Amino acid sequence: MLEKLMDRIDKNCINVDKELVKKAYNFAYDAHGEQKRESGEPYITHPLEVACILAEMGMDTSTIVAGLLHDVIEDTICTYEDVEREFSKEVADLVEGVTKLGKIKYKTKEEQQVDNVRKMLLAMAKDVRVILIKLADRLHNMRTLKYMPEGKQKEKSKETFDIYAPLAHRLGISKIKWELEDLAFRYINSAEYYDLVKKIAEKRAEREAYTEMIINQLSDNLEKAGIKSDIEGRPKHFYSIFRKMVNQNKTLEQVFDLTAVRILVHTVRDCYAVLGIVHTMYKPIPGRFKDYIAMPKPNMYQSLHSTVIGPQGKPFEIQIRTEEMHRTAEYGIAAHWKYKEGKINESNMELKLSWLREILEWQRETPDAEEFMEGFKIDLFSDEVFVFTPKGNVINLPSESTPIDFAYKIHTDVGNKCVGAKVNNKMVPLDYHLKTGEIVEIITSNSSKGPTIEWINIAKSNQAKSKIRAWFKKVKREESVGKGKELLEKEAKKQGYNFGEIAKGDILNNILKKYSFNSVEDLYAAAGMGDISPSSIVAKIKEAYEKGNKVQLTNEEILSSINNKNAKGNQSKHNKKRTSSPAIIVKGVSNLLVRFSKCCNPVPGDDIVGYITKGRGVSIHRKDCVNLANLLEDGENKIVEVSWGESKIGDYIAEIQVKADDRDGLLAEIMDIITQTKTNLYAINAKPIRGTTALINIKFKIPNIEHLKDLMKKIKRLRGVSDVYRTKN
């Protein structure tokens, strides 16, 4: 295998220090020692294969050496310092960069995946070679995936589809991208994969004979024209065929470019000359010509594509490009090392990775894991459209982009002041889907009120979406501050307080510090935009205020105060549920201001206790309420004896938690029981924990404890339910 690596280096690389590569091999061999792979092979076979892939890409000495060492820091006793001492800081940084991509543990798979992607983006921004090593690592792991359990095969294949194939595509490394997709396709859609392989194999001989005939015809005509060329048949990759069949609802026979021919020439002029000859030999299909030489893809891909009607009336695809374009198409960003004698043009590299800065910009503003991954895949792997500014500049955008995307691509201010758009000199709506070749003009106005919230759904590019969100955060801040202040004051009033009186001094400063706000305006703005819950903020402020202003009155004084208020008729809105025959009796005294605590939701039949709150009467808690222990710290003089009265106030809110196996149909069965028992559902929330277990919280309105016990007993009998209990806070 070491000889194989040296052969690859001789064939594809320039100025690689083979002695240092051998030293790295020996270092990795000793470090991994007796470690084995899932296949039973010595572990060293993996880093050797990774190095071979990197050598095939034509990478430099440091990258190939780092490929051999990429697992030593993570999987052996070797340290960063060991690698730096034996090789160089450059190699040690590359190895550490690859190692860091999978080390931290997270609460959820999505959170882990998103953080790994973010770290990959940052690693790319620092040194793109880290990702090239990671891609080579993933490619060899996918080649040997058959030794892994089925669940792991599907998990790794999905991750490959979601992250690594799009990254290879965006970096222009089609050779790796296609193989990653085909390997992942084999494990995720096994039946479709093997069915497609079988169907393609059935007509392979016929297709090869047809391709050979076309190649001979083209060779003869190009030779007559004096154009030197290299012509070859291009096999279509399985996943590419499958995706086209699904997306376009076609059969295998209807896929145009199942047969494809690639023509390599020496100059750009020859490319267009060959195109002219091809179109005189075969009839081109309208709308099936693409000029990626004049308008290269963001991943540096350049080529002429045309689908034509060949002999026997069968369509086939022609690709025409120079040899240098072909190297870039195969190896993308890696072509900067290959054939460049190891000298890298830093400014040119920066230009090629400009898209990376855009992704890094919007990903910082996207905390939601699902939204981030969706945007990441769209930005890296969507088809593109190429449109023109009125001055003739080419702008590339994701497929189905709108004038809004175009406007924000030109400049943030152009997007914010956009009031209309023209396409090919005709007015179009802002949700119009742009097509390649169209000339787009944005109409702006200084009196524009800015984007509307609907624009976020209309825009297709993450760049536009993030700029629209930024506008709302900035321009709408004042409005949000006013709205947030109003919401907090309203919530405080609802809980019996004046927000201005309780939110001040150290109490307010502690809240601002806890939520990382620089000022009270930041707090108001966050509440106004819905980033934080006003009720939770007020609850925390109220709790701090009450602790700092403990009530010194006796039970009798408070009860007397309450009775006086009742006599005057100034009843609190919380007292509207009281009747002449009370539901709760406090110390033998009836008709008092009482409220049922929301932290434990007591219902008739529960053991209860009363807690006197200044200005709010008596709060009724269950005796097993978790919050009651905290309240008792203020002194037992606030606790009063209470009991259930004869009358009822209607239905009571109760909450239970169900712990069960996470299986299909469980929620539906629980809902059936709720319906059968004529229980009024208030709220339901379900979430998976530890993979196969689910927790379901259910709130409902019930008349008494007997009804609740009956309901819980019936839910407990369901298959897979391990526990049903009432929540305590």
Side-chain angles (χ1 to χ4, degrees):
M1 285 187 70
L2 184 58
E3 287 176 11
K4 174 184 167 185
L5 174 58
M6 293 304 162
D7 287 343
R8 293 271 177 93
I9 290 171
D10 288 338
K11 188 176 178 181
N12 299 292
C13 306
I14 293 176
N15 295 335
V16 167
D17 184 344
K18 290 198 284 188
E19 289 306 313
L20 195 64
V21 172
K22 288 177 184 176
K23 181 182 176 182
Y25 164 76
N26 290 324
F27 186 92
Y29 184 92
D30 292 339
H32 288 294
E34 299 299 316
Q35 289 178 358
K36 302 281 187 185
R37 301 202 82 219
E38 291 286 337
S39 62
E41 294 176 308
Y43 196 89
I44 190 63
T45 58
H46 171 62
L48 261 171
E49 287 289 359
V50 169
C52 283
I53 293 167
L54 293 167
E56 193 174 323
M57 292 163 65
M59 295 307 298
D60 61 318
T61 302
S62 294
T63 311
I64 295 171
V65 167
L68 283 165
L69 304 173
H70 78 274
D71 277 335
V72 297
I73 294 179
E74 184 172 9
D75 294 335
T76 77
I77 60 171
C78 291
T79 64
Y80 173 93
E81 289 73 23
D82 294 333
V83 177
E84 183 182 18
R85 184 177 60 254
E86 291 295 325
F87 298 94
S88 67
K89 186 177 186 305
E90 181 185 16
V91 170
D93 285 344
L94 287 172
V95 174
E96 187 182 46
V98 178
T99 303
K100 279 184 175 178
L101 295 182
K103 252 189 167 181
I104 301 174
K105 293 182 179 177
Y106 300 87
K107 295 173 188 172
T108 66
K109 285 265 183 201
E110 292 77 15
E111 191 179 332
Q112 181 177 7
Q113 192 179 61
V114 166
D115 197 79
N116 278 342
V117 171
R118 285 188 164 123
K119 283 159 73 178
M120 276 198 279
L121 293 173
L122 290 168
M124 279 168 68
K126 190 175 180 181
D127 192 331
V128 74
R129 291 176 296 174
V130 169
I131 302 306
L132 300 181
I133 298 168
K134 192 67 183 172
L135 286 172
D137 172 53
R138 176 51 61 113
L139 179 56
H140 183 246
N141 282 334
M142 290 300 293
R143 286 174 178 173
T144 56
L145 200 58
K146 63 183 177 182
Y147 299 106
M148 301 291 284
E150 186 180 347
K152 208 72 174 171
Q153 289 175 349
K154 290 190 181 297
E155 181 187 322
K156 292 291 181 188
S157 296
K158 186 177 185 310
E159 193 176 56
T160 298
F161 265 137
D162 289 349
I163 298 172
Y164 293 100
L167 271 173
H169 169 77
R170 205 62 169 85
L171 293 168
I173 313 170
S174 62
K175 201 162 189 177
I176 288 182
K177 174 221 175 192
W178 290 122
E179 189 175 353
L180 285 175
E181 285 184 335
D182 280 355
L183 288 167
F185 176 37
R186 181 194 300 177
Y187 293 104
I188 288 184
N189 301 90
S190 298
E192 291 89 342
Y193 173 83
Y194 287 109
D195 181 56
L196 189 60
V197 170
K198 182 184 174 185
K199 286 179 179 176
I200 289 175
E202 286 172 357
K203 295 190 176 181
R204 177 169 291 158
E206 177 188 325
R207 212 166 36 249
E208 286 176 352
Y210 182 71
T211 304
E212 190 65 31
M213 177 176 63
I214 292 168
I215 290 173
N216 291 334
Q217 290 177 355
L218 285 167
S219 295
D220 291 343
N221 280 272
L222 294 181
E223 196 174 326
K224 287 176 187 175
I227 298 174
K228 291 183 179 180
S229 64
D230 183 10
I231 308 174
E232 60 182 4
R234 182 183 68 87
K236 191 77 174 174
H237 297 273
F238 296 123
Y239 180 66
S240 177
I241 297 169
F242 175 73
R243 188 174 59 189
K244 192 160 284 191
M245 288 167 64
V246 171
N247 290 347
Q248 300 177 11
N249 195 24
K250 290 181 176 180
T251 62
L252 186 61
E253 290 71 25
Q254 291 172 316
V255 177
F256 280 154
D257 47 358
L258 204 58
T259 300
V261 173
R262 181 182 293 135
I263 304 173
L264 302 181
V265 293
H266 295 306
T267 67
V268 173
R269 179 180 291 181
D270 286 346
C271 290
Y272 290 100
V274 169
L275 179 68
I277 292 170
V278 168
H279 282 183
T280 57
M281 291 174 62
Y282 311 111
K283 188 175 181 181
I285 296 176
R288 297 284 303 171
F289 168 67
K290 291 177 181 175
D291 186 346
Y292 292 118
I293 294 178
M295 294 182 288
K297 289 187 177 184
N299 65 2
M300 301 168 288
Y301 180 87
Q302 287 184 289
S303 186
L304 296 176
H305 289 197
S306 184
T307 304
V308 297
I309 303 294
Q312 305 165 18
K314 293 180 181 177
F316 69 95
E317 186 187 57
I318 292 274
Q319 293 181 354
I320 308 164
R321 61 182 74 147
T322 66
E323 290 166 353
E324 187 175 348
M325 290 174 190
H326 182 59
R327 287 195 291 269
T328 302
E330 294 274 290
Y331 299 106
I333 204 85
H336 281 262
W337 283 270
K338 191 171 186 177
Y339 308 105
K340 298 289 181 184
E341 299 184 0
K343 295 175 183 176
I344 306 302
N345 185 326
E346 293 294 338
S347 61
N348 193 30
M349 178 69 77
E350 181 74 13
L351 185 65
K352 299 298 184 188
L353 292 175
S354 58
W355 56 270
L356 179 59
R357 286 197 306 275
E358 292 177 11
I359 296 180
L360 284 169
E361 200 174 295
W362 69 257
Q363 64 90 18
R364 291 189 192 100
E365 302 170 5
T366 313
D368 180 72
E370 190 176 333
E371 183 185 341
F372 172 82
M373 284 309 301
E374 191 59 35
F376 174 78
K377 285 182 275 185
I378 288 171
D379 257 19
L380 260 65
F381 217 11
S382 64
D383 290 330
E384 291 138 340
V385 294
F386 297 88
V387 293
F388 295 93
T389 68
K391 291 183 178 179
N393 296 325
V394 180
I395 303 292
N396 64 285
L397 296 163
S399 178
E400 297 190 347
S401 283
T402 65
I404 293 171
D405 297 287
F406 179 89
Y408 279 104
K409 184 82 177 208
I410 300 298
H411 197 277
T412 304
D413 285 345
V414 174
N416 289 341
K417 293 178 181 179
C418 172
V419 292
K422 287 183 180 180
V423 171
N424 295 338
N425 218 27
K426 291 182 180 178
M427 291 295 295
V428 295
L430 291 178
D431 60 357
Y432 172 83
H433 289 170
L434 300 174
K435 300 174 188 66
T436 293
E438 292 179 327
I439 300 170
V440 186
E441 181 184 352
I442 300 298
I443 302 166
T444 61
S445 170
N446 288 329
S447 59
S448 165
K449 293 180 180 178
T452 65
I453 199 70
E454 289 79 16
W455 284 18
I456 292 175
N457 296 323
I458 294 172
K460 289 291 181 287
S461 66
N462 285 297
Q463 184 185 19
K465 289 176 186 283
S466 68
K467 287 182 177 180
I468 294 166
R469 289 192 186 99
W471 185 89
F472 276 102
K473 282 185 179 178
K474 182 181 177 183
V475 179
K476 294 290 183 180
R477 178 178 166 81
E478 190 174 327
E479 182 182 317
S480 298
V481 167
K483 183 181 177 184
K485 186 178 180 183
E486 184 183 334
L487 287 171
L488 288 165
E489 287 175 345
K490 190 175 179 181
E491 180 62 33
K493 189 176 180 183
K494 192 164 122 184
Q495 297 191 29
Y497 290 91
N498 180 303
F499 186 78
E501 287 180 8
I502 63 173
K504 57 187 178 182
D506 289 339
I507 293 175
L508 182 60
N509 290 334
N510 289 336
I511 289 292
L512 295 179
K513 189 176 179 182
K514 180 180 175 67
Y515 287 90
S516 301
F517 293 127
N518 294 321
S519 65
V520 70
E521 284 76 19
D522 289 344
L523 171 67
Y524 291 153
M529 286 189 282
D531 293 339
I532 57 170
S533 163
S535 59
S536 66
I537 292 295
V538 170
K540 283 179 171 55
I541 292 174
K542 183 189 80 171
E543 183 183 348
Y545 177 79
E546 287 180 347
K547 279 187 178 179
N549 297 272
K550 291 186 178 179
V551 181
Q552 300 299 324
L553 298 176
T554 64
N555 288 352
E556 287 70 22
E557 286 173 324
I558 294 171
L559 291 171
S560 173
S561 171
I562 294 168
N563 283 325
N564 287 339
K565 283 188 179 180
N566 289 341
K568 291 178 183 177
N570 289 328
Q571 296 183 348
S572 164
K573 63 180 178 180
H574 297 285
N575 199 29
K576 289 180 182 177
K577 293 181 181 177
R578 288 186 290 127
T579 63
S580 56
S581 180
I584 295 292
I585 298 171
V586 181
K587 270 188 147 186
V589 181
S590 64
N591 205 31
L592 289 177
L593 177 65
V594 296
R595 53 190 283 273
F596 294 98
S597 176
K598 291 182 181 178
C599 59
C600 57
N601 294 316
V603 299
D606 281 332
D607 289 333
I608 54 175
V609 67
Y611 178 79
I612 299 171
T613 309
K614 184 179 179 181
R616 303 188 69 199
V618 180
S619 298
I620 308 301
H621 291 262
R622 280 165 36 199
K623 279 189 176 179
D624 63 353
C625 177
V626 174
N627 286 340
L628 199 59
N630 297 328
L631 297 174
L632 288 172
E633 291 177 6
D634 290 342
E636 291 191 9
N637 63 313
K638 284 190 173 187
I639 300 297
V640 293
E641 293 177 16
V642 293
S643 60
W644 293 101
E646 293 180 3
S647 73
K648 302 289 184 289
I649 60 169
D651 286 342
Y652 298 78
I653 291 176
E655 182 175 4
I656 65 170
Q657 192 167 72
V658 180
K659 189 177 181 182
D661 295 339
D662 190 2
R663 64 174 177 85
D664 292 339
L666 177 62
L667 268 180
E669 291 173 22
I670 291 174
M671 293 300 290
D672 282 343
I673 290 173
I674 291 171
T675 304
Q676 289 166 16
T677 55
K678 297 181 180 178
T679 305
N680 187 3
L681 182 65
Y682 191 78
I684 188 165
N685 180 41
K687 62 181 178 181
I689 59 166
R690 293 190 297 277
T692 58
T693 306
L695 278 184
I696 305 168
N697 282 61
I698 313 168
K699 273 187 182 180
F700 27 60
K701 294 181 178 179
I702 56 167
N704 52 49
I705 193 71
E706 286 75 22
H707 186 104
L708 178 62
K709 286 179 179 177
D710 179 56
L711 188 65
M712 292 170 69
K713 193 184 295 181
K714 287 178 177 175
I715 293 174
K716 183 72 182 287
R717 290 179 190 146
L718 292 175
R719 178 171 60 87
V721 174
S722 58
D723 205 358
V724 181
Y725 42 85
R726 288 179 73 182
T727 56
K728 293 186 179 180
N729 59 15

